[in-house]
Amino acid sequence: IGDYTDFYSSREHATNVGIMFRGKDNALQPNWLRMPIGYHGRSSSVYPSGGGSAGSGGCDERTSAVRRPCGQLQLDPRDPKKGSRYGPCEKMDFELEVAFFVGGPSDRESNDCGRPLTVEEARDRIFGYVLMNDWSARDVQKWEYVPLGPFTSKNFATTVSTWVVTTTALEPHRCETSAGVQGGTTNGGGEEPMPSEYLRDPEYGERVVVFDASNLPARVRSGSIGAHPRVSWTCGEPIAGSYDVNLSVSLRPEGSSESTRICRSNLKHLYWSSAQQLVHHSVTGCPMNPGDLLASGTISGEERGNFGSMLELSWSGTRNVDLDDGEVRTFLEGMGRVGFGQCSGKVLPADPYPYRSPKPTKPQDPVSRAKVKEVAEIVNSGIQPLQN
């Protein structure tokens, strides 16, 4: 993986988080409906399901071991001026996501030298999709995210499934997004902004025709048209701008034989499509390379059972999430396991400061030891070997 970017493309998720942090009236920031919001992640900490940041940790072949991170935690949630303390994350979370790999020419000719991608080009550059769990330290995030967004709360581990499902394979499962359309009149009668022209995807949602009668003579603008000079209606069949892919999350506490399905969602719950995410990423001329990984952000539906993170399921720790074995959770505790089908991870205990020294790894046989000595001598002599 060359580069990794995580977006924030589910309106339902962004609204839930906004209500918790800013209240219902200011749930969505003014820029959210105008462009896909994202941040740059760390490709160095993206692990395949079955690998992990802390070794096997007793996990099976489909489970990643993820060490609970340590960091700075705000002392008083109501008063940031009181500062922070260092310690293990107490509000560890999963995020149900789907990510796609960028394909295309290896020489970057398609959008090198500062030329952005069009929607059509972006659609051709999406190779395939994987399941993703973008592990999150919510208490670390709360303290650090102002003013530049998440940093160490997100960079410690991201788990992806090991199979890439191509766009060709997903073609029979195309469907409308949960938003239906972007811009225009909402069900509540309000007006939402139309995306900028470079972001408009002709395959996004319904075909909508807008008739502007504002310049017609007054005698023509009578009745309902006079009251609503811009009239729109749906024309033709809906366009399938997303994929109907059921997603779920199961949680199993350490020592328990039972897994509880705590979330059911769907890939269609994205306001910003994959093509729009890729287009906006390249709008400044940023080259997009084969192997780059772009993630959707948490995918949540409208109901509580469709929320794709513990932050939402527990509503920031104020509601219990009941498990089938009788235990309850608000965030991830102990060494429980979280599974997204074939994308699974096990949470290991934190390793706080002062850190343990890693065990030295020395080759056992004399031949291997001689090779290590030879390489060390070459490096120390200042001669750069052609290959390792």
Side-chain angles (χ1 to χ4, degrees):
I1 299 172
D3 285 308
Y4 160 51
T5 300
D6 193 21
F7 283 91
Y8 192 44
S9 296
S10 168
R11 181 171 185 168
E12 291 84 352
H13 172 67
T15 300
N16 288 338
V17 174
I19 292 173
M20 281 185 268
F21 290 173
R22 294 181 298 276
K24 188 173 183 179
D25 293 337
N26 299 302
L28 285 182
Q29 297 282 25
N31 61 356
W32 198 93
L33 290 169
R34 297 181 181 274
M35 62 180 176
I37 303 298
Y39 71 94
H40 298 295
R42 288 286 298 180
S43 59
S44 63
S45 56
V46 177
Y47 303 101
S49 183
S53 62
S56 63
C59 303
D60 61 34
E61 69 277 6
R62 295 186 300 275
T63 305
S64 300
V66 176
R67 181 73 61 186
R68 182 181 296 271
C70 295
Q72 291 197 29
L73 315 176
Q74 187 171 326
L75 282 173
D76 186 343
R78 295 162 295 185
D79 187 3
K81 293 182 179 180
K82 292 183 178 179
S84 63
R85 61 179 176 85
Y86 169 84
C89 166
E90 298 172 356
K91 295 184 177 181
M92 191 163 173
D93 201 355
F94 66 83
E95 290 189 335
L96 172 59
E97 304 192 24
V98 171
F100 66 87
F101 282 103
V102 176
S106 58
D107 58 3
R108 305 189 302 173
E109 287 181 355
S110 63
N111 74 317
D112 202 7
C113 302
R115 191 182 76 79
L117 293 169
T118 65
V119 169
E120 291 74 18
E121 290 170 336
R123 195 176 293 113
D124 290 339
R125 293 289 300 276
I126 298 174
F127 173 72
Y129 293 81
V130 291
L131 287 172
M132 174 180 282
N133 179 0
D134 190 33
W135 301 90
S136 300
R138 297 298 188 189
D139 40 5
V140 177
Q141 181 179 355
K142 180 177 176 58
W143 172 242
E144 74 176 3
Y145 86 101
V146 178
L148 295 180
F151 179 35
T152 60
S153 58
K154 297 276 192 174
N155 69 1
F156 62 96
T158 300
T159 305
V160 296
S161 58
T162 54
W163 286 99
V164 180
V165 182
T166 65
T167 54
T168 303
L170 287 173
E171 194 64 25
H173 305 285
R174 288 175 70 91
C175 70
E176 280 189 274
T177 66
S178 58
V181 296
Q182 291 178 315
T185 304
T186 66
N187 292 334
E191 288 285 333
E192 290 188 349
M194 182 70 71
S196 297
E197 188 172 359
Y198 77 93
L199 279 170
R200 295 177 192 172
D201 185 351
E203 294 188 9
Y204 179 86
E206 295 179 334
R207 292 183 176 91
V208 176
V209 177
V210 178
F211 174 64
D212 190 347
S214 59
N215 295 323
L216 293 178
R219 58 185 177 81
V220 178
R221 288 189 291 107
S222 59
S224 61
I225 292 183
H228 305 282
R230 288 178 60 84
V231 181
S232 63
W233 65 91
T234 301
C235 176
E237 294 297 320
I239 303 173
S242 187
Y243 299 103
D244 186 6
V245 178
N246 289 321
L247 306 168
S248 66
V249 179
S250 297
L251 177 62
R252 177 160 64 92
E254 180 72 7
S256 175
S257 60
E258 293 187 63
S259 294
T260 303
R261 184 169 293 174
I262 57 176
C263 163
R264 296 175 185 266
S265 190
N266 195 290
L267 182 54
K268 68 183 179 181
H269 295 310
L270 292 180
Y271 185 86
W272 296 106
S273 69
S274 299
Q276 289 173 317
Q277 294 166 28
L278 183 52
V279 162
H280 187 62
H281 202 314
S282 76
V283 68
T284 55
C286 173
M288 305 305 298
N289 299 322
D292 286 352
L293 184 66
L294 275 66
S296 62
T298 304
I299 304 174
S300 297
E302 293 184 353
E303 304 298 327
R304 184 185 178 190
N306 311 136
F307 294 169
S309 67
M310 290 296 288
L311 176 68
E312 297 167 272
L313 290 167
S314 72
W315 209 251
S316 194
T318 62
R319 304 170 182 169
N320 287 335
V321 177
D322 298 321
L323 305 183
D324 291 343
D325 63 358
E327 294 196 35
V328 296
R329 291 288 186 273
T330 52
F331 288 94
L332 301 180
E333 299 178 7
M335 294 174 62
R337 298 185 183 186
V338 179
F340 299 174
Q342 296 300 310
C343 179
S344 184
K346 177 179 179 179
V347 181
L348 300 183
D351 186 13
Y353 186 86
Y355 313 121
R356 295 174 298 171
S357 299
K359 295 180 180 179
T361 56
K362 294 182 179 180
Q364 299 301 315
D365 60 284
V367 176
S368 296
R369 285 201 299 269
K371 288 182 178 179
V372 170
K373 181 179 179 182
E374 181 182 48
V375 172
E377 288 174 347
I378 292 174
V379 173
N380 291 335
S381 68
I383 301 172
Q384 297 298 321
L386 294 178
Q387 59 183 14
N388 295 327

